[in-house]
Amino acid sequence: MSFTIAIDGPAGAGKGTLARRLADHYHLHLLDTGLTYRAVAHALLSCGLPLDDEAHAIEAAHSLDLGKMDRAVLSAHAVGEAASQVAVMPALRRVLVDKQRDFARRPPGAVLDGRDIGTVVCPDAEVKLYLTASAEVRAGRRLAEIEARGGTAEFSRILDDIRKRDERDMSRADSPLRPAADAVLLDTSEMDIEAAFLAACAIVDAARAGRDGF
Ligand code: C5P
């Protein structure tokens, strides 16, 4: 029997950090599904192929090893932008979603974060969280991350990119970003990671209380 925690929300809402904290705390596997779209985008970019090359995107998805995704390479801002462009292709999504579902089934369970985990990948997840924060707060967090790594960037450009990415992710026809009907919404605009973690633990503990063997 496995237990799944689904975390969805827009870029920069704090999903990744929260997912890691929850996976550590509850001893569950962890999958950042954004990395799977980033890996496909990166494969296309590296070969100089257009981001709407469906056949090559699908090939890259089939050969993707979820255990070997290089976060350092894939976390580049430009790769995230490219990922949201490849992510509109339904046939590609089907291949990646199958892999994500296989991962989620591994006992004792997993925390998955992304855009469509509660709605499409794991609609039966025991816990569904939808993290949001204002675009300004999310852009500020991204800028701080870039600066912490020794880089520089302009706040207005990051804000612009975040708004464009929200628009693309929320308006695509296949698996748009939206909260599942049974997701709990957490707005992290004025909440630090510790507060978000504690709020999430209360939700997970309540769900666990109704389950045996976890
Ligand atoms: O979360 P991250 O910024 O790494 O995601 C990159 C892009 O991949 C997103 O903007 C989105 O378009 C796409 N994605 C998706 N479904 C997921 C995870 C990510 O469409 N489950």
Side-chain angles (χ1 to χ4, degrees):
M1 190 146 70
S2 67
F3 190 92
T4 307
I5 301 176
I7 307 180
D8 291 302
K15 302 184 300 289
T17 312
L18 179 63
R20 209 173 318 117
R21 292 279 307 263
L22 290 174
D24 281 351
H25 186 73
Y26 292 104
H27 306 292
L28 295 169
H29 300 295
L30 172 65
L31 180 63
D32 171 354
T33 62
L35 285 182
T36 66
Y37 292 91
R38 284 171 181 261
V40 170
H42 185 254
L44 294 178
L45 290 172
S46 309
C47 299
L49 295 166
L51 294 169
D52 60 355
D53 185 333
E54 193 172 78
H56 282 103
I58 289 173
E59 205 179 297
H62 277 301
S63 56
L64 180 66
D65 180 341
L66 298 190
K68 290 196 179 141
M69 298 186 291
D70 186 345
R71 177 176 293 277
V73 171
L74 300 178
S75 63
H77 184 68
V79 179
E81 288 303 302
S84 86
Q85 291 178 51
V86 302
V88 301
M89 293 186 276
L92 168 67
R93 297 195 70 87
R94 280 198 293 277
V95 177
L96 292 180
V97 166
D98 275 350
K99 288 193 175 222
Q100 294 161 10
R101 283 185 183 142
D102 285 346
F103 182 96
R105 276 193 283 268
R106 288 165 47 191
V111 183
L112 289 89
D113 75 276
R115 303 292 188 289
D116 60 342
I117 309 302
T119 50
V120 175
V121 181
C122 302
D124 298 327
E126 281 75 11
V127 173
K128 297 183 186 178
L129 303 173
Y130 188 89
L131 248 61
T132 57
S134 72
E136 287 76 10
V137 166
R138 291 185 282 127
R141 285 178 188 158
R142 273 288 137 93
L143 181 60
E145 274 169 27
I146 292 169
E147 289 176 347
R149 289 198 299 263
T152 51
E154 226 174 281
F155 178 82
S156 58
R157 233 197 99 206
I158 297 182
L159 181 58
D160 200 41
D161 282 352
I162 280 205
R163 287 196 172 125
K164 267 196 238 137
R165 187 115 75 95
D166 285 357
E167 165 65 21
R168 197 182 296 129
D169 287 350
M170 289 173 178
S171 64
R172 69 176 171 230
D174 186 3
S175 314
L177 168 63
R178 61 177 173 79
D182 50 352
V184 179
L185 264 60
L186 285 178
D187 187 330
T188 67
S189 302
E190 289 174 20
M191 215 189 250
D192 62 14
I193 178 60
E194 196 55 33
F197 173 65
L198 292 176
C201 284
I203 296 161
V204 174
D205 290 342
R208 267 179 9 141
R211 287 276 308 256
D212 292 326
F214 174 66

